[in-house]
Coordinates of all heavy atoms in Angstrom, one line a residue:
M44 N -109.1 163.3 34.4 CA -109.3 164.8 34.7 C -110.9 164.9 35.0 O -111.7 164.6 34.1 CB -108.9 165.5 33.5 CG -108.7 167.1 33.7 SD -107.9 167.9 34.9 CE -106.2 168.3 34.2
S45 N -111.2 165.5 36.1 CA -112.6 165.8 36.4 C -113.1 166.9 35.6 O -112.4 167.7 35.2 CB -112.7 166.1 37.9 OG -112.4 165.1 38.7
E46 N -114.5 166.8 35.3 CA -115.1 167.9 34.6 C -115.3 169.1 35.5 O -115.7 169.0 36.6 CB -116.5 167.3 34.1 CG -117.1 168.4 33.2 CD -118.5 167.9 32.8 OE1 -118.9 166.8 32.8 OE2 -119.2 168.8 32.1
V47 N -115.0 170.2 34.9 CA -115.1 171.5 35.6 C -116.2 172.3 35.0 O -116.4 172.5 33.9 CB -113.8 172.3 35.5 CG1 -113.8 173.5 36.3 CG2 -112.6 171.5 36.1
T48 N -117.1 172.7 36.0 CA -118.3 173.5 35.5 C -118.2 174.8 36.4 O -118.1 174.9 37.6 CB -119.6 172.8 35.9 OG1 -119.5 171.4 35.4 CG2 -120.8 173.5 35.5
L49 N -118.4 176.0 35.6 CA -118.5 177.3 36.2 C -119.9 177.8 35.9 O -120.3 178.0 34.7 CB -117.5 178.1 35.5 CG -116.1 178.3 36.0 CD1 -115.4 177.1 35.4 CD2 -115.4 179.6 35.7
Y50 N -120.6 178.3 36.9 CA -121.8 179.1 36.7 C -121.3 180.6 36.7 O -120.6 181.0 37.6 CB -122.8 178.9 37.8 CG -123.5 177.5 37.8 CD1 -122.8 176.4 38.5 CD2 -124.6 177.3 37.0 CE1 -123.4 175.2 38.5 CE2 -125.2 176.0 37.0 CZ -124.5 174.9 37.7 OH -125.1 173.7 37.6
T51 N -121.7 181.4 35.7 CA -121.2 182.7 35.5 C -122.3 183.6 35.1 O -123.4 183.2 34.8 CB -120.1 182.7 34.4 OG1 -120.7 182.4 33.1 CG2 -119.0 181.8 34.6
T52 N -122.0 185.0 35.1 CA -122.8 185.9 34.4 C -121.9 186.8 33.5 O -120.6 186.6 33.6 CB -123.6 186.9 35.4 OG1 -122.5 187.6 36.2 CG2 -124.6 186.1 36.4
N53 N -122.5 187.7 32.7 CA -121.8 188.6 31.9 C -121.2 189.6 32.8 O -121.7 189.9 33.9 CB -122.7 189.2 30.9 CG -123.5 188.3 30.0 OD1 -123.0 187.2 29.8 ND2 -124.7 188.7 29.6
S54 N -120.0 190.2 32.4 CA -119.3 191.3 33.2 C -119.3 191.1 34.6 O -119.5 191.8 35.4 CB -120.3 192.6 33.1 OG -120.7 192.8 31.7
C55 N -118.7 189.8 34.9 CA -118.5 189.5 36.3 C -116.9 189.3 36.4 O -116.4 188.3 36.0 CB -119.2 188.3 36.6 SG -118.6 187.2 38.0
P56 N -116.2 190.2 37.2 CA -114.7 190.1 37.3 C -114.3 188.8 37.9 O -113.3 188.3 37.4 CB -114.4 191.4 38.1 CG -115.6 192.2 38.1 CD -116.8 191.4 37.8
Y57 N -115.1 188.4 38.9 CA -114.6 187.0 39.5 C -114.7 185.9 38.6 O -114.0 184.9 38.7 CB -115.4 186.9 40.8 CG -115.0 187.8 42.0 CD1 -115.8 188.9 42.3 CD2 -114.0 187.6 42.8 CE1 -115.5 189.8 43.2 CE2 -113.6 188.4 43.8 CZ -114.4 189.5 44.0 OH -114.1 190.4 45.1
C58 N -115.7 186.1 37.7 CA -116.0 184.9 36.7 C -114.7 184.9 35.8 O -114.2 183.9 35.4 CB -117.2 185.1 35.9 SG -118.7 185.1 36.9
V59 N -114.3 186.1 35.4 CA -113.2 186.2 34.4 C -111.9 185.8 35.0 O -111.1 185.0 34.5 CB -113.0 187.8 34.0 CG1 -111.8 188.0 33.2 CG2 -114.2 188.2 33.3
A60 N -111.7 186.1 36.4 CA -110.5 185.8 37.0 C -110.6 184.1 37.1 O -109.5 183.6 37.0 CB -110.6 186.3 38.5
A61 N -111.6 183.6 37.4 CA -111.7 182.1 37.6 C -111.4 181.4 36.3 O -110.7 180.5 36.2 CB -113.2 181.7 38.0
K62 N -112.0 181.9 35.2 CA -111.8 181.4 33.9 C -110.3 181.5 33.5 O -109.6 180.6 32.9 CB -112.6 182.0 32.7 CG -114.0 181.5 33.0 CD -114.9 182.1 31.8 CE -115.4 183.5 32.0 NZ -116.4 183.9 30.9
N63 N -109.7 182.7 33.8 CA -108.3 182.9 33.5 C -107.3 182.0 34.3 O -106.3 181.5 33.7 CB -107.8 184.4 33.8 CG -108.4 185.4 32.8 OD1 -108.8 184.9 31.7 ND2 -108.3 186.7 33.1
L64 N -107.6 181.7 35.6 CA -106.8 180.8 36.3 C -106.9 179.3 35.6 O -105.9 178.7 35.6 CB -107.4 180.8 37.7 CG -106.7 179.7 38.7 CD1 -105.1 179.8 38.7 CD2 -107.2 179.8 40.1
L65 N -108.1 179.0 35.3 CA -108.2 177.6 34.7 C -107.5 177.6 33.4 O -106.8 176.6 33.1 CB -109.8 177.3 34.5 CG -110.4 177.1 35.9 CD1 -112.0 177.0 35.6 CD2 -109.9 175.8 36.5
K66 N -107.7 178.7 32.5 CA -107.0 178.7 31.3 C -105.4 178.6 31.5 O -104.8 178.0 30.7 CB -107.4 179.9 30.5 CG -108.8 180.0 29.8 CD -109.1 181.2 29.1 CE -110.5 181.4 28.9 NZ -110.9 182.8 28.7
A67 N -105.0 179.4 32.4 CA -103.6 179.4 32.6 C -103.0 178.0 33.0 O -101.9 177.7 32.8 CB -103.1 180.4 33.7
K68 N -103.9 177.2 33.6 CA -103.5 175.8 34.0 C -103.8 174.9 32.9 O -103.5 173.7 33.1 CB -104.3 175.4 35.3 CG -103.8 176.2 36.5 CD -104.7 175.8 37.8 CE -104.4 174.4 38.2 NZ -102.9 174.3 38.7
G69 N -104.3 175.3 31.8 CA -104.8 174.4 30.7 C -105.9 173.5 31.0 O -106.0 172.4 30.4
V70 N -106.7 174.0 31.8 CA -107.9 173.2 32.1 C -109.2 173.6 31.4 O -109.4 174.8 31.3 CB -108.2 173.4 33.7 CG1 -109.5 172.7 34.2 CG2 -107.0 172.8 34.6
E71 N -109.7 172.6 30.8 CA -111.0 172.9 30.0 C -112.2 173.0 31.0 O -112.1 172.3 32.0 CB -111.2 171.9 29.0 CG -110.2 172.0 27.9 CD -110.5 171.0 26.7 OE1 -111.5 170.4 26.7 OE2 -109.6 170.8 25.8
Y72 N -113.2 173.8 30.7 CA -114.3 173.8 31.6 C -115.5 174.0 30.8 O -115.6 174.5 29.7 CB -114.2 175.0 32.6 CG -113.8 176.3 31.9 CD1 -114.9 177.1 31.4 CD2 -112.5 176.8 31.8 CE1 -114.6 178.3 30.8 CE2 -112.3 178.0 31.2 CZ -113.3 178.8 30.7 OH -113.1 180.0 30.0
T73 N -116.7 173.8 31.4 CA -118.0 174.1 30.9 C -118.6 175.3 31.6 O -118.6 175.3 32.8 CB -119.0 172.9 31.0 OG1 -118.4 171.7 30.4 CG2 -120.4 173.1 30.5
E74 N -119.0 176.3 30.8 CA -119.6 177.5 31.4 C -121.0 177.5 31.3 O -121.6 177.3 30.1 CB -118.9 178.7 30.8 CG -119.3 180.0 31.2 CD -118.5 181.2 30.6 OE1 -117.7 181.0 29.7 OE2 -118.8 182.3 31.1
I75 N -121.8 177.7 32.4 CA -123.2 177.9 32.3 C -123.5 179.4 32.7 O -123.3 179.7 33.8 CB -123.9 176.8 33.2 CG1 -123.5 175.4 32.8 CG2 -125.4 177.1 33.3 CD1 -124.1 174.3 33.7
N76 N -124.0 180.1 31.7 CA -124.3 181.5 32.0 C -125.7 181.5 32.6 O -126.7 181.2 32.0 CB -124.3 182.2 30.8 CG -124.2 183.7 30.9 OD1 -125.2 184.3 31.6 ND2 -123.3 184.5 30.4
V77 N -125.8 182.1 33.9 CA -127.0 182.2 34.5 C -127.6 183.6 34.5 O -128.6 183.8 35.1 CB -127.0 181.7 36.0 CG1 -126.4 180.3 36.1 CG2 -126.0 182.7 36.8
Q78 N -127.1 184.4 33.6 CA -127.6 185.8 33.5 C -129.1 185.9 33.1 O -129.8 186.6 33.7 CB -126.7 186.5 32.4 CG -127.0 187.9 32.2 CD -126.1 188.9 33.0 OE1 -125.1 188.6 33.2 NE2 -126.7 190.0 33.3
T79 N -129.3 185.1 32.1 CA -130.8 185.1 31.5 C -131.5 183.9 31.8 O -132.7 183.7 31.3 CB -130.6 185.4 30.1 OG1 -129.9 184.3 29.5 CG2 -130.1 186.7 29.7
S80 N -131.0 182.9 32.5 CA -131.7 181.6 32.8 C -132.0 181.5 34.2 O -131.1 181.1 35.0 CB -130.9 180.4 32.3 OG -131.6 179.2 32.6
M81 N -133.2 181.8 34.6 CA -133.7 181.6 36.0 C -133.5 180.2 36.4 O -133.2 179.8 37.5 CB -135.0 182.2 36.2 CG -135.5 182.3 37.7 SD -134.4 183.1 38.7 CE -134.5 184.8 38.1
E82 N -133.8 179.3 35.4 CA -133.7 177.8 35.7 C -132.4 177.4 36.1 O -132.2 176.7 37.0 CB -134.3 177.0 34.4 CG -134.3 175.5 34.7 CD -134.6 174.8 33.4 OE1 -134.8 175.4 32.4 OE2 -134.6 173.5 33.5
Q83 N -131.4 177.8 35.3 CA -130.1 177.6 35.6 C -129.5 178.2 36.9 O -128.8 177.6 37.6 CB -129.1 177.9 34.4 CG -129.3 176.9 33.2 CD -128.9 175.5 33.5 OE1 -128.1 175.1 34.5 NE2 -129.3 174.6 32.7
R84 N -130.0 179.4 37.2 CA -129.7 180.1 38.3 C -130.2 179.3 39.5 O -129.5 179.2 40.6 CB -130.2 181.5 38.4 CG -129.7 182.4 39.5 CD -130.2 183.8 39.3 NE -129.5 184.6 38.4 CZ -128.4 185.4 38.7 NH1 -128.0 185.5 39.9 NH2 -127.9 186.0 37.7
N85 N -131.4 178.9 39.5 CA -132.0 178.1 40.6 C -131.2 176.8 40.8 O -131.0 176.4 41.9 CB -133.5 177.8 40.3 CG -134.3 179.0 40.5 OD1 -133.9 179.9 41.1 ND2 -135.5 179.0 39.8
I86 N -130.8 176.1 39.7 CA -130.0 174.9 39.8 C -128.7 175.3 40.5 O -128.2 174.6 41.4 CB -129.8 174.2 38.5 CG1 -131.0 173.7 37.8 CG2 -128.6 173.3 38.5 CD1 -131.0 173.3 36.4
M87 N -128.0 176.4 40.1 CA -126.8 176.8 40.8 C -127.0 177.0 42.2 O -126.2 176.5 43.1 CB -126.2 178.1 40.1 CG -125.1 178.6 40.8 SD -124.6 180.4 40.3 CE -125.5 181.2 41.4
M88 N -128.0 177.8 42.6 CA -128.3 178.0 44.1 C -128.6 176.7 44.9 O -128.2 176.5 46.0 CB -129.4 179.0 44.2 CG -129.0 180.4 43.7 SD -130.1 181.7 44.1 CE -131.5 181.4 43.2
A89 N -129.3 175.9 44.2 CA -129.6 174.6 44.9 C -128.4 173.7 45.0 O -128.3 173.1 46.1 CB -130.7 173.8 44.0
R90 N -127.5 173.6 44.0 CA -126.3 172.9 44.1 C -125.3 173.4 45.1 O -124.5 172.7 45.8 CB -125.6 172.7 42.7 CG -126.3 171.8 41.7 CD -125.5 171.7 40.5 NE -124.4 170.8 40.7 CZ -123.4 170.7 39.8 NH1 -123.4 171.3 38.7 NH2 -122.4 169.7 39.9
S91 N -125.2 174.8 45.2 CA -124.1 175.5 45.9 C -124.6 176.0 47.2 O -123.7 176.3 48.1 CB -123.5 176.5 45.0 OG -124.4 177.6 44.8
G92 N -125.8 176.3 47.3 CA -126.2 177.1 48.5 C -125.8 178.5 48.6 O -125.9 179.2 49.5
R93 N -125.3 179.0 47.4 CA -124.9 180.4 47.2 C -125.6 181.1 46.0 O -126.1 180.3 45.2 CB -123.4 180.4 47.0 CG -122.6 179.9 48.2 CD -121.1 180.3 48.0 NE -120.2 179.6 48.9 CZ -118.9 179.6 48.8 NH1 -118.4 180.4 48.0 NH2 -118.1 178.9 49.6
R94 N -125.6 182.4 46.1 CA -126.3 183.1 45.0 C -125.2 184.0 44.2 O -125.6 184.5 43.2 CB -127.3 184.0 45.6 CG -127.1 184.9 46.7 CD -128.3 185.5 47.3 NE -129.0 186.2 46.4 CZ -130.3 185.8 46.1 NH1 -130.9 184.9 46.8 NH2 -131.0 186.5 45.2
T95 N -124.0 184.0 44.7 CA -123.0 184.8 43.9 C -122.5 184.0 42.8 O -122.5 182.8 42.9 CB -121.9 185.4 44.8 OG1 -121.2 184.2 45.4 CG2 -122.4 186.2 45.9
V96 N -121.8 184.6 41.8 CA -121.2 184.0 40.7 C -119.7 184.5 40.7 O -119.4 185.5 41.2 CB -121.8 184.3 39.4 CG1 -123.0 183.5 39.1 CG2 -122.0 185.8 39.2
P97 N -118.7 183.6 40.4 CA -119.1 182.3 39.8 C -119.2 181.3 40.9 O -118.8 181.4 42.1 CB -117.7 181.9 39.1 CG -116.6 182.6 39.9 CD -117.3 183.9 40.4
Q98 N -119.8 180.2 40.6 CA -119.9 178.9 41.4 C -119.1 177.9 40.6 O -119.5 177.6 39.4 CB -121.2 178.6 41.9 CG -121.9 179.5 42.9 CD -121.1 179.8 44.1 OE1 -120.5 178.8 44.6 NE2 -121.1 180.9 44.6
I99 N -118.2 177.2 41.3 CA -117.3 176.4 40.5 C -117.4 174.9 41.2 O -117.4 174.8 42.3 CB -115.9 176.8 40.6 CG1 -115.7 178.2 40.1 CG2 -114.9 175.9 40.0 CD1 -114.5 179.0 40.7
F100 N -117.6 174.0 40.3 CA -117.7 172.6 40.6 C -116.6 171.8 39.8 O -116.4 172.0 38.6 CB -119.0 172.0 40.2 CG -120.1 172.4 41.1 CD1 -120.7 173.7 40.8 CD2 -120.5 171.8 42.1 CE1 -121.8 174.2 41.7 CE2 -121.7 172.2 43.0 CZ -122.2 173.4 42.8
I101 N -115.9 170.9 40.5 CA -115.0 170.0 40.0 C -115.6 168.5 40.1 O -115.7 168.1 41.3 CB -113.7 170.0 40.6 CG1 -113.1 171.5 40.3 CG2 -112.7 169.0 40.0 CD1 -111.7 171.7 41.0
G102 N -116.1 168.0 39.0 CA -116.9 166.9 39.2 C -118.2 167.3 39.9 O -118.8 168.3 39.7
D103 N -118.6 166.5 41.1 CA -119.7 166.9 41.9 C -119.2 167.7 43.0 O -120.0 168.1 43.9 CB -120.4 165.7 42.4 CG -121.2 165.0 41.2 OD1 -121.7 165.9 40.3 OD2 -121.4 163.8 41.2
H104 N -117.9 167.9 43.2 CA -117.4 168.6 44.3 C -117.6 170.2 44.2 O -117.2 170.8 43.2 CB -116.0 168.4 44.6 CG -115.3 169.0 45.7 ND1 -115.5 168.7 47.0 CD2 -114.6 170.2 45.7 CE1 -114.7 169.5 47.7 NE2 -114.3 170.5 47.0
H105 N -118.2 170.8 45.2 CA -118.5 172.2 45.1 C -117.2 172.9 45.6 O -116.9 172.9 46.9 CB -119.7 172.7 45.9 CG -119.9 174.1 46.0 ND1 -120.2 174.9 47.1 CD2 -119.8 175.1 44.9 CE1 -120.4 176.1 46.8 NE2 -120.2 176.2 45.5
V106 N -116.4 173.7 44.7 CA -115.4 174.3 45.2 C -115.7 175.6 45.8 O -115.0 176.0 46.8 CB -114.4 174.6 43.9 CG1 -113.3 175.6 44.3 CG2 -113.8 173.3 43.4
G107 N -116.7 176.4 45.3 CA -117.0 177.6 45.8 C -116.9 178.7 44.8 O -117.0 178.4 43.5
G108 N -116.4 179.9 45.1 CA -116.3 181.1 44.2 C -114.7 181.0 43.7 O -113.9 180.2 44.1
F109 N -114.4 182.1 43.1 CA -113.0 182.3 42.6 C -112.0 182.4 43.8 O -111.0 181.7 43.8 CB -112.9 183.7 41.8 CG -111.4 184.0 41.7 CD1 -110.6 183.2 40.8 CD2 -110.8 185.1 42.3 CE1 -109.3 183.5 40.7 CE2 -109.5 185.3 42.2 CZ -108.7 184.6 41.3
D110 N -112.4 183.1 44.9 CA -111.5 183.1 46.1 C -111.3 181.7 46.6 O -110.1 181.4 46.9 CB -112.1 184.0 47.1 CG -112.2 185.5 46.8 OD1 -111.5 185.9 45.9 OD2 -112.9 186.2 47.6
D111 N -112.2 180.9 46.6 CA -112.0 179.6 47.2 C -111.1 178.8 46.2 O -110.2 178.0 46.7 CB -113.4 178.9 47.3 CG -114.4 179.6 48.1 OD1 -114.0 179.8 49.3 OD2 -115.5 180.1 47.7
M112 N -111.3 178.9 44.9 CA -110.4 178.2 44.0 C -108.9 178.6 44.1 O -108.0 177.8 44.1 CB -110.9 178.2 42.6 CG -110.2 177.3 41.6 SD -111.0 177.2 40.0 CE -110.9 178.8 39.3
A113 N -108.8 180.0 44.2 CA -107.5 180.6 44.3 C -106.7 180.0 45.6 O -105.5 179.9 45.5 CB -107.6 182.1 44.2
L114 N -107.5 180.0 46.5 CA -106.9 179.6 47.9 C -106.4 178.1 47.7 O -105.3 177.7 48.1 CB -108.0 179.6 49.1 CG -107.5 179.2 50.4 CD1 -106.3 180.1 50.9 CD2 -108.5 179.3 51.4
L115 N -107.2 177.3 47.1 CA -106.8 175.9 46.8 C -105.6 175.8 46.0 O -104.6 175.1 46.4 CB -107.9 175.1 46.1 CG -109.1 174.7 47.0 CD1 -110.2 174.0 46.1 CD2 -108.8 173.7 48.0
E116 N -105.5 176.7 45.0 CA -104.3 176.7 44.2 C -103.1 177.1 45.0 O -102.0 176.5 44.9 CB -104.5 177.8 42.9 CG -103.3 177.9 42.1 CD -103.0 176.7 41.2 OE1 -103.4 175.7 41.5 OE2 -102.2 177.0 40.2
R117 N -103.2 178.2 45.8 CA -102.0 178.6 46.7 C -101.7 177.6 47.6 O -100.5 177.5 48.0 CB -102.5 179.9 47.5 CG -102.5 181.2 46.6 CD -102.4 182.4 47.4 NE -103.5 182.5 48.4 CZ -104.7 183.0 48.0 NH1 -104.9 183.4 46.9 NH2 -105.7 183.1 49.0
K118 N -102.6 176.8 48.1 CA -102.2 175.7 49.1 C -101.7 174.5 48.4 O -101.3 173.4 49.0 CB -103.5 175.3 49.9 CG -103.9 176.4 50.8 CD -104.9 175.9 51.9 CE -106.1 175.4 51.5 NZ -107.1 175.0 52.5
G119 N -101.7 174.6 47.0 CA -101.2 173.3 46.2 C -102.2 172.2 46.2 O -101.7 171.0 46.0
E120 N -103.5 172.4 46.4 CA -104.5 171.3 46.4 C -105.4 171.3 45.3 O -106.1 170.3 45.2 CB -105.4 171.5 47.7 CG -104.6 171.4 49.0 CD -105.4 171.8 50.2 OE1 -106.7 171.9 50.2 OE2 -104.7 171.9 51.3
L121 N -105.2 172.2 44.4 CA -106.2 172.2 43.2 C -105.9 171.2 42.2 O -106.9 170.5 41.7 CB -106.2 173.6 42.6 CG -107.2 173.9 41.5 CD1 -108.6 173.6 41.9 CD2 -106.9 175.3 40.9
N122 N -104.6 170.9 42.0 CA -104.4 169.9 41.0 C -104.8 168.5 41.3 O -105.3 167.8 40.5 CB -102.8 169.9 40.8 CG -102.3 171.1 40.0 OD1 -103.1 171.8 39.5 ND2 -101.0 171.2 40.0
A123 N -104.8 168.2 42.6 CA -105.3 166.8 43.1 C -106.8 166.7 42.8 O -107.2 165.7 42.3 CB -104.9 166.7 44.4
L124 N -107.5 167.8 43.1 CA -108.9 167.9 42.8 C -109.2 167.7 41.4 O -110.2 166.9 41.0 CB -109.5 169.2 43.4 CG -110.1 169.3 44.8 CD1 -110.6 170.6 45.1 CD2 -111.3 168.3 44.9
L125 N -108.4 168.4 40.5 CA -108.7 168.4 39.0 C -108.3 167.0 38.6 O -109.0 166.5 37.6 CB -107.9 169.4 38.4 CG -108.2 170.9 38.6 CD1 -107.1 171.9 38.2 CD2 -109.5 171.2 37.9
A126 N -107.4 166.3 39.1 CA -107.0 165.0 38.6 C -108.2 164.0 38.9 O -108.2 162.9 38.4 CB -105.8 164.6 39.3
G127 N -109.0 164.3 39.9 CA -110.1 163.4 40.2 C -109.8 162.2 41.2 O -108.7 162.0 41.5
Ligands
GSH1058 N1 -115.7 186.0 47.0 C1 -116.6 185.6 45.7 C2 -117.0 187.0 45.2 C3 -118.1 186.7 44.1 C4 -118.9 188.0 43.8 O1 -118.9 189.0 44.6 N2 -119.4 187.9 42.6 C5 -120.2 189.1 42.2 C6 -120.2 189.1 40.6 S1 -118.5 189.4 40.1 C7 -121.8 188.7 42.5 O2 -122.2 187.7 42.4 N3 -122.4 189.8 42.9 C8 -123.9 189.7 43.3 C9 -124.2 189.5 44.7 O3 -123.3 189.7 45.5 O4 -125.4 189.1 45.0 C10 -115.7 184.9 44.7 O5 -114.4 185.0 44.8 O6 -116.3 184.3 43.8

């Protein structure tokens, strides 16, 4: 199983939706809150090229935001990515 990393902030509905999808699938994840850490926010933007949250990585693969992950799930492609 690949490591899943989510960059999040507080009070972010898309972050909650992303975490709920992963929890529903029984997938553990590491959450990095960028609300108060400019250093981590800069790392997130450098890794993803985006400034919105969440930004989701499976291993080193940049999935994107919640919408991108939900689309992969609907297409039946998320499990294979998670399996590594
Ligand atoms: N389509 C994106 C939407 C993400 C989004 O709009 N996130 C909000 C917080 S919930 C955000 O980062 N807003 C700040 C901004 O747009 O700069 C996704 O599904 O992740």
Side-chain angles (χ1 to χ4, degrees):
M44 194 53 98
S45 298
E46 186 180 347
V47 179
T48 307
L49 276 81
Y50 292 89
T51 65
T52 58
N53 305 333
S54 314
C55 157
Y57 288 99
C58 302
V59 173
K62 289 187 279 185
N63 283 345
L64 175 55
L65 291 169
K66 282 179 201 158
K68 293 177 69 61
V70 175
E71 293 185 8
Y72 54 82
T73 300
E74 182 172 4
I75 299 174
N76 190 311
V77 301
Q78 182 96 29
T79 53
S80 171
M81 190 51 71
E82 182 186 0
Q83 288 297 339
R84 188 177 285 265
N85 286 339
I86 291 170
M87 179 194 86
M88 290 193 292
R90 289 184 79 188
S91 68
R93 297 193 195 175
R94 50 189 309 117
T95 59
V96 283
Q98 292 303 324
I99 303 158
F100 288 82
I101 298 177
D103 284 332
H104 176 81
H105 178 226
V106 171
F109 167 70
D110 289 347
D111 301 300
M112 184 168 69
L114 180 60
L115 286 175
E116 175 73 341
R117 282 200 300 280
K118 292 197 300 188
E120 296 174 9
L121 185 57
N122 286 351
L124 266 179
L125 290 166

